[in-house]
Amino acid sequence: MRRALALLLLLSGCAVGPDYKRPDTPPAPAFKETPPAWKNAEPGDALGKGRWWEMFGDPELSALVEKIEGANFSLAAAEAQFRQAQAAVAIARAPLLPSIDFSGSAVRNRSPSGVIGGTTAGRTVTTRAASFSANWEADFWGHIRRQVEAAEASLEASEASYASARLSLQSQLMTAYFQLRTIDLQKRLLDETVDALRKSLELTNNRYNVGVAAKADVVQADAQLKSTLVQAVDLGVQRAQLEHAIAVLTGVSPAELAIAPNFTYQAQLPAVPPGLPSELLERRPDVAQAERNMAAANAQIGVVKSALFPTVTLSGQYGWRTADPTIGLLNVANRFWSLGPSVAYNVFDFGLRRAQTEQAIAAYDAQVANYRQAVLTAFGNVEDNLAALRILEEEAAAERDAVDAARLSLELTINQYKAGTVSYLNVV
């Protein structure tokens, strides 16, 4: 008896299928766009991201981003899927403990009077019964534990998907907001340009009227003014579309949101320290989601392989049943019970379980490839943006030099105009 019990305990501790081990990812010793500041990966996707948008120092932007959490319907759908995954874990864990059921009945019946040997022939009888039953599957091969493992990994993947959806929506809103503010600044520049071109058209007309300019000069000045006005109209269309996109992201109709123009907007852009990119990779929820999907697929291999072994179920029943109205239902004489194990095993299935195992292994291999691709894509995203930062910094320096040269040119031309050596058209 002791040996049998020890064998059962030993079997209950086994779980078929491979134990999960995170596979290697494509090597990336450093980012080529930054100085060496590499460190070993320490996954941190579960760390809180905080109110990271506040580093841009824009209260209006912060207020819009905070509306996403409780109003965006796409995020609400992702949150509901996360709660579904939580319930799936509870469902997977339930079979680890016995299921207990209660049943009760009171059936009134009558047998034909011609029945031979029937003790109730020709009588109307009420049969009462009440019983408890319990069933428990002995998880010798880890079928249930592997299902729990897969459900927990899927839950963590769903949590990462929820975080990824939140970050994606926040970044979409912030990108649209900064584009809108850029259009405000472009609109101010175009308005100033329109004023200057109107002055140029007026001066050209005056020169044409006194016979010192040709009609072609007037037409050219007029065409230049109207072309700039068209650009200003196009900016109005783009700004309206961006404002509508922000409204949808914050869960309101476009008619309910209006963002006032700010023609003097100054963005407060945070600096990117050298060691930050690798830390950001550790916190990317899309990479974490791919890794957790891979762990769930690995556990599913164990679930499928456990079907190759017998299923052992321990069942029991205890209750009372009687058709005698003179005896109470709970009388000892009415008691019945049963207890015993049952074993089920599929002897031959024409290769079904083997094919299911191969299918699960192939699904795991696909998730491994997806995970490695997610990591590689993350490296590419960081490299792209670091390269863009570096190149745009060079462009900004060149633009500053161009602005300084243009200001100097304007200053010199104004001095020439004041000295009477050039006309005001040169200033315009």
Side-chain angles (χ1 to χ4, degrees), residues 5 14 92 98 145 151 166 176 181 188 243 251 274 279 288 349 397:
L5 181 60
C14 298
R145 280 168 289 154
R166 183 194 295 113
R181 289 308 181 203
R188 184 193 69 182
E243 190 176 72
E279 295 175 9
D349 60 5

Side-chain angles (χ1 to χ4, degrees), residues 240-255:
Q241 291 175 342
L242 289 169
E243 190 176 72
H244 298 164
I246 293 172
V248 172
L249 287 169
T250 55
V252 298
S253 68

Side-chain angles (χ1 to χ4, degrees), residues 94 236 259:
I259 302 176

Side-chain angles (χ1 to χ4, degrees), residues 32-149:
K32 67 179 181 180
E33 291 291 340
T34 56
W38 192 249
K39 66 187 190 67
N40 292 330
E42 298 174 2
D45 56 283
L47 297 176
K49 306 301 184 288
R51 301 167 64 85
W52 57 272
W53 52 87
E54 292 184 348
M55 69 176 66
F56 292 93
D58 188 330
E60 185 174 13
L61 173 62
S62 297
L64 289 170
V65 173
E66 288 165 8
K67 289 180 180 179
I68 289 178
E69 189 70 34
N72 186 274
F73 298 113
S74 297
L75 188 60
E79 190 273 337
Q81 290 173 347
F82 172 62
R83 287 188 283 110
Q84 282 183 315
Q86 286 180 314
V89 172
I91 292 171
R93 286 176 177 167
L96 290 172
L97 297 174
S99 65
I100 300 176
D101 300 309
F102 170 79
S103 65
S105 64
V107 180
R108 189 169 177 81
N109 61 78
R110 177 182 175 87
S111 300
S113 57
V115 175
I116 299 175
T119 57
T120 61
R123 296 170 50 198
T124 300
V125 179
T126 300
T127 303
R128 295 168 294 160
S131 66
F132 292 92
S133 61
N135 290 276
W136 179 64
E137 180 183 340
D139 192 26
F140 292 148
W141 324 114
H143 174 78
I144 299 173
R145 280 168 289 154
R146 290 299 190 192
Q147 285 184 324
V148 172
E149 183 182 337

Side-chain angles (χ1 to χ4, degrees), residues 284-304:
R284 282 184 61 137
D286 57 336
V287 175
Q289 180 183 359
E291 190 272 335
R292 290 290 84 199
N293 285 334
M294 182 173 54
N298 181 82
Q300 284 296 336
I301 297 175
V303 172
V304 174

